[in-house]
Amino acid sequence: MATAPSEGVVVVGAGLAGSLAALFLRRRGDDVTLMDLRSDPRAAAAVAASAATDGGLSLLANASKRSINLALSSRGLRALRKLGLADEVLRDAVIMRGRMIHAPNGRTELQPYGTTDEEVLNSVSREAINRFLLERLSAPPEAGEGRVELCFKHKVVGLGKDGSLTVLDTADGGAPARTVRPRFIIGADGSFSVVRRELSKLCRLSLRHEYIEHGYLELSIPARPAGGRYGNGFALEPHALHIWPRHDFMLIALPNRDGSFTGTLFASWTLLEQLEDPAVGLPFFREHFADALAVMPDLAQELTANPRGALATVRCDPWHAAGRVLLIGDAAHAVVPFYGQGMNAAFEDCLALDQALDEARHNVPKAIASFYTARKPACDALADLSLQNYVEMRSKTASRLFVLKNSLDAALHRWVPSWQPSLHTAVTFSPMPYHVAKARCEWQDSLLGTAFHVSCALVGIAGVALALKTSGASARLGAHA
Ligand code: FAD
C-alpha cells in the first residue's frame, strides 16, 4: 500500500459484503481501499485453471471444493441490480424452482417456492461471485467514480482511538505494521471480525457469538457424462434445492453450472465425527440417504477427508462507533445458513448503506446512525428466523401438515393479496424488512389459529346442539310410544 488514504474509505474484507460495498462507494465518487488478509482469489483460480489444463485436475478439484455454492434470492439481487450487475451474475447461476423432498423410501416430491418466475432461488458459486465483484472493482473507474485500490495479503490488526487502522502487509514478509487514517472505515471482515474486536475497545460493544449443537460437512455429487435423464450431466433434477429431511439431521444439495451438485450434511458434531469412519459412514448413508449414496462415488473418501464446519449466530450491539467505523455483513450479524440469507442480507446492507448515504447527503455519521437503526432489528429477526428454519427444513418439510398449511396460505393470498403466501416467501422474495415479515406472519398464524379454534368450538357447539335435539326428539318419541 503506497499512501495512507486520509480522505478515502477503507473497507476491511474483500469477501462478498466488502467487495459489493466497495463497488457502491466507488460509484458514489469515494476513493476506496479494499484490504483482505487472503491472497487475490482471482490469482488462485487462474493457477488452478492452468494446472487443470496441464493435467493437474486434483488441484482444480481442491480449489473448487472450497467454493461452496449459495442460494441468491431477491434481496441480494435487488442490490446487484442497483449496480447493473444482476444479469451477469444470473448468467452463471442455476435456477432452483422449489424444494425437492427426498423421502427415506426414495420417493421425491417437488414443493414449488412460488408461482411466478421471480419466486425462485439461484444457485451461485461463492468463489465465482466474489471473483466477479473483484473484477468489476479492478475495471477503470467511469466518469464521476472514485478510485479503488485492492490490497490483498493485508491483515488489519488494530484500530486506534483516533480512527486509525493498523495493517500488516503479509506479502512483504516481516514488514513493520503500517497505520492509515481513513475518513470512514467499513468492517466487512466476517464473523470473526477483527474490526469488531477492536471496536469493543473503543465503545461498550456487547457481543453474543452462539454456536449451535450441529455442524456441517460438504460432500460432492459429481456430474455424469453428458446426457442422462436430466441432461447436461446432472445426476438429479437440476432446478431444485434437494432436501433429505430426517428430523435429527438433514442432507441438502444445490446444483452447479457444470452438472455437479454440492451436498451439505447438517448433523450433530458427535454424528459428524462418527461418520469419519467409512465403516460407520457408508451404512449410515445406505440407511438414510440411499438415493443420494447412489450418486456419490467419492463419499467414503470425503467422509474421512472433508473438514467439518461450525455454525454460529453473531449478535452485537452497536455496529458502529465514533461516526466513522461501521460493521456490515457477517461481522455485524452472522446467521446460521438455514434461510440462505447471510449473503443476501450482507448485499442488502450495502444497498441500505448506499440509500442512507443518499438520504444523509454524504453526512457519514448521520448515515451510519440511520443505517443501524433500520438494519439492527431486521438482522436480529433474521437470526431468529434462520434458527427456526433449521427445524422447518429437517422436519416440517416432510410433513403433510406443512404442505397443507402452505396451500392454505397460498389460497388466502389469492383472495386477499395483502395476506403473505408464507413466511418463506416474505423472507426470501419480498423487500419487507425481516422483522416486519416475521411479525406479519406470526400475526397471520395466530389469526389462523384463532379461526381454527373458533371453528372447532362452533362445530363442537353444533354437535352438542344436534345431540341434545336428537335426544329430546327420541325422549318425545319414547313418551308417545
Ligand atoms: P466473509 O465472506 O466471511 O468475508 C470476510 C472477508 O474478510 C474474508 O475475505 C476474509 O479473508 C477477510 N478478513 C477477515 N479478517 C480480516 C482481517 N483481519 N484483515 C483483513 N481481511 C480480513 N448465504 C446466503 O445468502 N445464501 C446461502 O445459500 C448461504 N449458504 C451458506 C452455507 C454455509 C454452509 C455457510 C457457512 C454460510 C452460508 N451463507 C449463505 C452465508 C454467507 O456465506 C455469509 O453470510 C457471507 O459469506 C458473508 O459475507 P461477508 O463478506 O460478510 O463475510
Side-chain angles (χ1 to χ4, degrees), residues 223-412:
R224 290 177 159 182
R229 181 172 167 201
Y230 300 108
N232 290 341
F234 286 102
L236 304 168
E237 161 57 49
H239 297 298
L241 192 159
H242 293 262
I243 308 179
W244 288 257
R246 298 292 183 266
H247 301 288
D248 292 333
F249 46 84
M250 73 172 177
L251 176 68
I252 66 167
L254 272 71
N256 299 310
R257 289 281 294 178
D258 64 359
S260 66
F261 285 80
T262 305
T264 311
L265 175 67
F266 294 97
S268 70
W269 275 96
T270 317
L271 181 56
L272 288 176
E273 275 166 14
Q274 286 167 352
L275 297 180
E276 263 181 42
D277 178 359
V280 179
L282 289 178
F284 172 84
F285 265 71
R286 212 167 287 127
E287 182 182 348
H288 299 286
F289 309 117
D291 56 339
L293 176 63
V295 291
M296 296 173 126
D298 304 324
L299 183 67
Q301 189 244 329
E302 290 184 342
L303 284 174
T304 309
N306 288 5
R308 276 67 176 152
L311 297 168
T313 303
V314 171
R315 294 175 215 252
C316 69
D317 178 14
W319 298 351
H320 62 97
R324 64 196 301 189
V325 187
L326 174 68
L327 303 172
I328 63 167
D330 277 11
H333 50 73
V335 295
V336 292
F338 303 110
Y339 240 116
Q341 285 295 308
M343 166 188 63
N344 286 289
F347 283 1
E348 204 176 45
D349 280 352
C350 299
L351 181 62
L353 180 59
D354 188 55
Q355 284 163 353
L357 285 164
D358 272 349
E359 282 159 20
R361 296 176 189 275
H362 295 256
N363 178 332
V364 171
K366 201 171 159 196
I368 288 179
S370 67
F371 168 85
Y372 177 67
T373 307
R375 294 298 288 161
K376 174 69 175 157
C379 293
D380 279 349
L382 176 62
D384 295 338
L385 290 168
S386 301
L387 288 164
Q388 283 165 22
N389 211 43
Y390 188 25
V391 180
E392 186 129 305
M393 281 180 88
R394 66 179 206 238
S395 282
K396 292 193 187 162
T397 51
S399 110
R400 286 279 119 215
L401 206 62
F402 174 80
V403 178
L404 208 69
K405 164 80 170 51
N406 280 351
S407 313
L408 178 63
D409 275 326
L412 285 168

Side-chain angles (χ1 to χ4, degrees), residues 39-98:
S39 51
D40 189 338
R42 295 167 302 166
V47 170
S50 72
T53 48
D54 296 345
L57 278 171
S58 59
L59 180 54
L60 183 62
N62 282 338
S64 63
K65 215 164 273 168
R66 285 196 307 270
S67 84
I68 56 160
N69 45 19
L70 305 162
L72 172 66
S73 52
S74 63
R75 290 176 196 266
L77 280 171
R78 205 166 303 118
L80 292 168
R81 208 161 272 139
K82 181 85 189 277
L83 294 179
L85 304 176
D87 290 342
E88 261 179 278
V89 169
L90 287 179
R91 212 171 293 147
D92 276 335
V94 184
I95 288 178
M96 301 182 291
R97 298 189 201 289

Side-chain angles (χ1 to χ4, degrees), residues 207-240:
L207 171 68
R208 273 161 66 198
H209 194 130
E210 290 167 321
Y211 288 96
I212 59 168
E213 295 278 296
H214 287 205
Y216 69 97
L217 165 65
E218 280 195 64
L219 302 163
S220 63
I221 298 178
R224 290 177 159 182
R229 181 172 167 201
Y230 300 108
N232 290 341
F234 286 102
L236 304 168
E237 161 57 49
H239 297 298

Side-chain angles (χ1 to χ4, degrees), residues 174-208:
R178 280 186 249 182
T179 304
V180 290
R181 285 185 194 80
R183 182 171 60 89
F184 181 16
I185 298 168
I186 296 188
D189 50 342
S191 49
F192 293 98
S193 170
V194 168
V195 177
R196 186 183 64 222
R197 184 197 70 198
E198 293 296 298
L199 209 57
S200 69
K201 296 176 188 165
L202 302 186
C203 65
R204 288 176 299 112
L205 184 144
S206 313
L207 171 68
R208 273 161 66 198

